[in-house]
Amino acid sequence: MSFRNLIDFSDIPEKEWDEICTLAADMKKNPNRYESACAGKVLATLFYEPSTRTQLSFQTAMLRLGGSVIGFSDPNSSSVSKGETLRDTIKIVSTYADVAVMRNPVEGAAFAASLYCRVPLINAGDGGHLHPTQTMTDMFTIRQEKGSCDGLSIGMCGDLLNGRTVHSLSKALSPHCGNTYYLISTEKLKMPEYAVNLLSANSNKVIECRTLDECIDILDVLYMTRIQRERFTSESEYRSQAGIYILDSKKLENAKKNLVILHPLPKVDEISYEVDDDPRAKYFEQAENALYLRMALILTLTENYPDRLPIKGDKYDFTGERYCKNPVCVSNHEKYLPKIIKENNERKFCGYCERDVN
Ligand code: NCD
């Protein structure tokens, strides 16, 4: 495997992604074969932000592989509450564990942590930025249900501004072709421009809609999301956006018979209860797939990278310059971080949160 840390789904080359999918599918079919695959190994789960599914499924994944789990789910019960830097926490934890999983409310935190981590690090969500293991689940489930991720009409509905799963998914879908994306949201919660650009790469079409009724009959896949209450500055602002998109049986009357309904969960009120029993609802299977994909990922990383490496971040020069304008970028929170700017043909962007820098 060529990647040691999973910060972004695009860290996984296509061929290696196929191998992970094959391994996950085998784990689902023959779980007993893998019950001691990680015996003696330790997974650290560092959750600076609440999580049920992601954290429990990572922990279950390691336990089902015969390994053990350490970590915290409430930073207030760790040294973080005493003001410890991310760098120190990661340095120490990576001398205890063989692989680490981190969720953090700040964008780019996973990449920042990977600079100080001596073992493979997996991003379990960094603010509104990325959530690559959810994306693995989404891509795997689409591929399982539709045969591939190309030539489809894919709707994404809800909080497209703040939802990291749709941003991460847009990045992963970017190299695919022949797709039409229907982005269903209010004006306020529109998909950020950078993600729209990713989706429209490779001549894919992007159509913005304000209602589900405008496109539900055309869709092959509908990815519903909740309004991300915790990312709003006030309750009244959240209230003004909540409850606008609700998928119910009535709306589904116009949908294709083989529509695939996905949701990263937790769902709040955006999918009516009766839809759970509709055979087109695949979100519980999607959540189950996540367990096997996380097992496959943990096994792959611990097998390929069994040694603790020296810390990479110490090699960078620290300039003290604050250069990223994104207030929720980790570079503006963890002040010791080196300035890292990345560049491609079109733009220059912050190496942590990936927002444009001039
Ligand atoms: C998502 C997340 O944390 O971003 N949940 C998850 O990981 N399954 C989606 C969400 O919280 O809305």
Side-chain angles (χ1 to χ4, degrees):
M1 289 287 149
S2 58
F3 66 100
R4 183 164 180 274
N5 302 307
L6 181 67
I7 307 303
D8 181 347
F9 180 79
S10 65
D11 292 337
I12 314 176
E14 207 177 310
K15 190 173 156 283
E16 295 177 13
W17 170 232
D18 286 344
E19 286 168 28
I20 290 178
C21 289
T22 308
L23 181 59
D26 193 53
M27 286 173 157
K28 193 170 177 179
K29 229 162 111 196
N30 306 298
N32 296 346
R33 268 193 209 156
Y34 298 91
E35 62 194 13
S36 313
C38 280
K41 305 262 181 193
V42 175
L43 168 78
T45 55
L46 313 176
F47 278 67
Y48 293 77
E49 218 188 34
S51 162
T52 310
R53 234 160 323 273
T54 306
Q55 190 181 11
L56 292 184
S57 71
F58 265 114
Q59 293 177 343
T60 308
M62 190 47 148
L63 295 173
R64 291 215 177 275
L65 291 167
S68 321
V69 180
I70 57 168
F72 57 80
S73 51
D74 173 10
N76 294 326
S77 66
S78 77
S79 289
V80 174
S81 64
K82 300 179 188 164
E84 185 171 63
T85 59
L86 182 61
R87 171 171 69 171
D88 286 359
T89 306
I90 294 294
K91 274 186 182 178
I92 301 301
V93 167
S94 63
T95 61
Y96 304 155
D98 300 285
V99 54
V101 178
M102 188 183 83
R103 170 171 287 188
N104 194 292
V106 182
E107 298 187 5
F111 174 70
S114 74
L115 300 176
Y116 302 99
C117 193
R118 300 182 58 196
V119 296
L121 183 104
I122 301 169
N123 181 7
D126 56 337
H129 185 214
L130 297 169
H131 192 353
T133 59
Q134 180 62 46
T135 305
M136 286 171 61
T137 310
D138 302 341
M139 297 294 281
F140 180 86
T141 310
I142 296 176
R143 182 165 140 156
Q144 231 183 18
E145 297 294 329
K146 292 288 174 195
S148 89
C149 297
D150 301 285
L152 299 171
S153 291
I154 301 179
M156 296 187 207
C157 177
D159 190 345
L160 306 186
L161 175 68
N162 299 302
R164 57 189 162 208
T165 62
V166 284
H167 302 159
S168 226
L169 183 59
S170 301
K171 226 172 159 192
L173 285 168
S174 186
H176 289 270
C177 35
N179 290 330
T180 305
Y181 299 106
Y182 294 86
L183 305 180
I184 311 137
S185 75
T186 62
E187 177 67 29
K188 273 208 170 135
L189 300 183
K190 270 192 349 189
M191 188 75 101
E193 203 184 313
Y194 87 90
V196 174
N197 292 339
L198 286 167
L199 288 171
S200 51
N202 289 321
S203 314
N204 292 307
K205 272 204 226 142
V206 177
I207 299 173
E208 289 193 353
C209 308
R210 293 284 168 265
T211 64
L212 268 165
D213 292 329
E214 284 167 61
C215 59
I216 195 141
D217 56 328
I218 312 166
L219 300 178
D220 299 306
V221 176
L222 172 57
Y223 193 95
M224 294 295 294
T225 63
R226 80 183 162 92
I227 307 301
Q228 307 276 301
R229 185 184 211 142
E230 68 279 22
R231 313 244 180 258
F232 284 77
T233 44
S234 72
E235 181 64 15
S236 63
E237 232 183 281
Y238 165 70
R239 288 265 143 244
S240 74
Q241 296 297 315
I244 296 178
Y245 299 104
I246 296 180
L247 183 67
D248 55 17
S249 310
K250 178 110 194 38
K251 284 207 171 61
L252 282 171
E253 279 171 12
N254 297 327
K256 287 186 182 169
K257 294 274 164 291
N258 61 353
L259 169 71
V260 170
I261 307 167
L262 301 179
H263 192 304
L265 305 178
K267 54 188 173 67
V268 185
D269 57 2
E270 59 281 0
I271 299 185
S272 294
Y273 300 119
E274 76 266 13
V275 176
D276 289 359
D277 300 324
D278 189 304
R280 291 170 287 188
K282 300 291 179 192
Y283 31 85
F284 293 118
E285 272 159 78
Q286 184 188 2
E288 190 192 342
N289 289 337
L291 172 66
Y292 298 102
L293 283 157
R294 288 175 176 139
M295 283 172 69
L297 179 66
I298 292 171
L299 179 57
T300 302
L301 291 178
T302 50
E303 261 182 353
N304 284 278
Y305 298 98
D307 301 320
R308 282 195 178 78
L309 293 187
I311 287 163
K312 222 170 43 193
D314 291 346
K315 289 199 206 97
Y316 285 92
D317 286 336
F318 172 66
T319 61
E321 188 191 340
R322 303 272 57 93
Y323 64 97
C324 181
K325 295 207 175 63
N326 174 10
V328 288
C329 174
V330 69
S331 67
N332 292 318
H333 288 252
E334 302 279 331
K335 305 280 169 143
Y336 52 84
L337 287 172
K339 174 177 175 178
I340 300 181
I341 294 189
K342 293 185 180 167
E343 220 174 322
N344 63 22
N345 297 340
E346 289 135 35
R347 60 189 199 107
K348 265 188 172 178
F349 51 97
C350 170
Y352 299 95
C353 71
E354 299 186 289
R355 301 285 179 99
D356 285 1
V357 289
N358 309 316

